[in-house]
Amino acid sequence: DTAVSQTPKYLVTQMGNDKSIKCEQNLGHDTMYWYKQDSKKFLKIMFSYNNKELIINETVPNRFSPKSPDKAHLNLHINSLELGDSAVYFCASSREGGAANYGYTFGSGTRLTVV
Amino acid sequence: GEDVEQSLFLSVREGDSSVINCTYTDSSSTYLYWYKQEPGAGLQLLTYIFSNMDMKQDQRLTVLLNKKDKHLSLRIADTQTGDSAIYFCAELTGGGNKLTFGTGTQLKVEL
């Protein structure tokens, strides 16, 4: 009964392709996030959505487009994939008003490899 | 600097205490967190501390906060091999809307 689930877990694709990563949470949280973890394990926020509305967009290229059909889902679509997009992408969710004393709940990550 | 800084590596013997340090950036951060990441897994919240506290103890974990120096530490007592992982500190910034992570510390526990 996974709280934050991402699919796929692994994704290998060629440069120039378009791909999507899906995320769903069953915690009833209002806010969802996408983070990118690079090869040095640095974690950077990409996007944040609250009740389907974009709250944070951290200077991510336009090739990345998040979509939130409802507050339980936040999908990430990436166009024209580049080698530098290779990373682990984490979805997370939190209660209304940010993390406060509950923190974020993270999915197990999607390892994207662009060849 | 802009990054939340942590030392990259820490190696300890099983049964010893581990202390992982973090220097954060935003003096107005209300909550500070410690997360653990095991290989191939997501991030697991270990503990947190509110900014008006200077210490919090939770079983084997002790968090110390020095607001003046913007310094946060995590002490793990009686470190076990299962504690081997990457540990991230994080601060809640952006008016409570954004969790900014440190650079991560790889803890290795040796027998």
Side-chain angles (χ1 to χ4, degrees):
Chain A
D1 203 21
T2 308
V4 180
S5 59
Q6 298 178 227
T7 54
K9 192 169 172 65
Y10 299 97
L11 184 53
V12 181
T13 188
Q14 289 189 323
M15 264 177 25
N17 282 351
D18 303 337
K19 290 293 177 186
S20 291
I21 307 171
K22 295 186 176 181
C23 179
E24 175 181 5
Q25 54 95 4
N26 62 5
L27 298 165
H29 287 170
D30 295 290
T31 310
M32 295 184 73
Y33 312 82
W34 278 107
Y35 276 79
K36 178 180 178 181
Q37 186 174 44
D38 64 19
S39 58
K40 293 183 179 175
K41 306 298 184 185
F42 294 154
L43 273 158
K44 295 289 185 189
I45 191 167
M46 300 172 69
F47 299 103
S48 152
Y49 268 74
N50 180 270
N51 275 315
K52 304 192 295 175
E53 285 192 33
L54 181 66
I55 303 294
I56 293 172
N57 180 343
E58 287 280 309
T59 59
V60 176
N62 290 339
R63 299 182 295 104
F64 290 79
S65 51
K67 285 188 171 52
S68 183
D70 55 62
K71 75 173 192 178
H73 295 84
L74 180 62
N75 303 322
L76 185 64
H77 187 76
I78 316 169
N79 289 328
S80 304
L81 277 153
E82 300 177 357
L83 293 176
D85 297 332
S86 295
V88 181
Y89 292 84
F90 286 100
C91 178
S93 69
S94 71
R95 295 186 184 207
E96 180 71 45
N101 59 335
Y102 301 105
Y104 290 9
T105 303
F106 281 83
S108 55
T110 296
R111 182 174 292 278
L112 171 66
T113 304
V114 182
V115 297
Chain B
E2 287 188 8
D3 288 341
V4 178
E5 298 283 349
Q6 297 178 240
S7 50
L8 282 179
F9 298 102
L10 176 64
S11 181
V12 299
R13 288 189 180 272
E14 191 176 40
D16 287 351
S17 292
S18 309
V19 179
I20 302 171
N21 294 304
C22 168
T23 303
Y24 60 96
T25 60
D26 189 346
S27 56
S28 64
S29 293
T30 51
Y31 285 88
L32 296 131
Y33 305 84
W34 284 101
Y35 279 81
K36 177 184 180 182
Q37 185 179 29
E38 297 186 27
L43 288 97
Q44 172 197 355
L45 177 64
L46 287 177
T47 188
Y48 68 92
I49 189 166
F50 188 49
S51 59
N52 69 353
M53 300 167 68
D54 50 23
M55 187 182 94
K56 179 179 179 181
Q57 186 147 6
D58 185 359
Q59 299 181 333
R60 290 192 297 127
L61 306 178
T62 303
V63 179
L64 295 178
L65 174 61
N66 179 333
K67 279 194 74 174
K68 176 176 163 289
D69 295 336
K70 291 187 279 188
H71 186 262
L72 182 72
S73 68
L74 174 70
R75 179 177 179 269
I76 307 173
D78 187 24
T79 313
Q80 303 296 307
T81 54
D83 294 325
S84 293
I86 302 176
Y87 290 80
F88 292 92
C89 62
E91 58 177 343
L92 192 61
T93 58
N97 286 321
K98 186 168 79 169
L99 202 56
T100 300
F101 284 88
T103 46
T105 299
Q106 173 87 54
L107 174 64
K108 183 178 177 185
V109 183
E110 297 173 326
L111 295 171

